[in-house]
Amino acid sequence: IVEDAGNEDSDSPRFEEVEGHFRPRIASIEMIEITEAEKQSFSGRIWWLLQLPLKLGFKFTCAPCERGTAWEIFYPITLVVSFAWIAAFSYLISEVVERWGEMSKIPLSLFGFALVALGAEIPDTIQSVTVARRGYGSMAVSNAIGSQILNICIGLGLPWSISILSGNTIKISDHRKIYSAAIIQSINVFLVFVLLLGSSLIFRENKATLSTAKGYVLLCAYLIALVSFTVYVLRISGTI
């Protein structure tokens, strides 16, 4: 259910009372139990070892600025450092994908649609899941939609504007791929609008709902869009 934390009552296990106000719990017992169970398995230990370098890097560069701690005042620094980590990972992914595309002769537009986009949305997905578990459903949905607006308007508009102002020319090798991607994105936006607000407008409900069935529909829509764009790009490039 897409709703804010203010609608929760005092009996909710996801919230705790602090100074007469209810706020989300930082961690739940269920989440701790799952983490401990993963550490007991062989695959869990392997995954922990793979994560260890990143965890050490995050520990020494990102201050733990939770509320009520001595590091609370350093949250702006943590925010800036977090953006720096995301930028570094994004640059690494783009370089790897570009090199991979040159070696495999697969169009870079396909790599961008399938791999770069997926890697770029992982942080947004983690953020949405985190705030949703804390009871902020509306924030999770807004984050998912707002990130797409930011990617298109700022992620494309800002570097292109800087490049044009610098006297460079932006060349698009094949506009048909961008046109097809825009059509797929438009269909997805319409589908999200129908799923989130369609039933609310029809039945005059005062809030939007996102059920498990609607989640499966969105996952299927992503797979259909991915397969459709892959087939189209490979066909016009002569690969198939």
Side-chain angles (χ1 to χ4, degrees):
I1 299 177
V2 181
E3 57 184 359
D4 290 330
N7 297 330
E8 297 286 345
D9 54 19
S10 59
D11 296 331
S12 176
R14 296 176 299 174
F15 295 86
E16 58 184 354
E17 184 176 2
V18 179
E19 298 180 356
H21 301 281
F22 291 97
R23 71 178 186 184
R25 296 182 185 273
I26 301 300
S28 61
I29 298 178
E30 292 79 8
M31 295 174 61
I32 298 176
E33 290 178 349
I34 293 175
T35 304
E36 293 296 332
E38 290 178 349
K39 290 182 178 180
Q40 298 300 324
S41 62
F42 177 77
S43 60
R45 290 193 293 269
I46 296 298
W47 179 243
W48 181 82
L49 289 175
L50 293 176
Q51 289 180 314
L52 184 59
L54 290 178
K55 288 184 176 180
L56 291 176
F58 296 154
K59 180 178 180 180
F60 290 107
T61 57
C62 299
C65 53
E66 290 87 356
R67 288 183 298 179
T69 63
W71 297 88
E72 182 178 2
I73 60 175
F74 295 100
Y75 73 90
I77 299 178
T78 301
L79 180 63
V80 173
V81 173
S82 300
F83 279 124
W85 274 105
I86 294 175
F89 290 142
S90 300
Y91 177 79
L92 179 62
I93 291 175
S94 62
E95 289 295 322
V96 171
V97 168
E98 182 178 0
R99 181 59 178 167
W100 189 3
E102 293 176 354
M103 296 177 61
S104 61
K105 306 300 180 182
I106 297 178
L108 292 179
S109 58
L110 179 58
F111 275 105
F113 189 89
L115 295 180
V116 177
L118 181 62
E121 292 305 316
I122 289 178
D124 294 331
T125 303
I126 295 175
Q127 293 170 6
S128 296
V129 171
T130 301
V131 297
R133 285 181 172 178
R134 295 184 177 183
Y136 298 109
S138 298
M139 185 183 297
V141 175
S142 299
N143 176 66
I145 298 176
S147 62
Q148 301 306 313
I149 299 175
L150 184 66
N151 290 337
I152 296 175
C153 297
I154 304 298
L156 293 179
L158 182 60
W160 284 12
S161 299
I162 296 176
S163 180
I164 292 175
L165 292 176
S166 301
N168 299 324
T169 302
I170 300 176
K171 296 181 180 180
I172 300 177
S173 58
D174 194 346
H175 68 281
R176 294 177 297 175
K177 299 175 183 178
I178 299 180
Y179 180 73
S180 61
I183 293 178
I184 294 176
Q185 185 73 356
S186 301
I187 296 174
N188 291 333
V189 170
F190 177 76
L191 178 61
V192 172
F193 177 81
V194 171
L195 290 178
L196 289 180
L197 301 179
S199 59
S200 300
L201 295 176
I202 294 175
F203 299 104
R204 296 185 178 181
E205 300 175 346
N206 59 356
K207 61 182 178 180
T209 57
L210 184 60
S211 61
T212 303
K214 293 180 180 179
Y216 285 134
V217 171
L218 293 176
L219 290 176
C220 292
Y222 170 75
L223 294 177
I224 293 174
L226 180 60
V227 172
S228 301
F229 187 77
T230 301
V231 173
Y232 177 78
V233 171
L234 294 179
R235 179 170 297 179
I236 64 176
S237 62
T239 306
I240 59 176

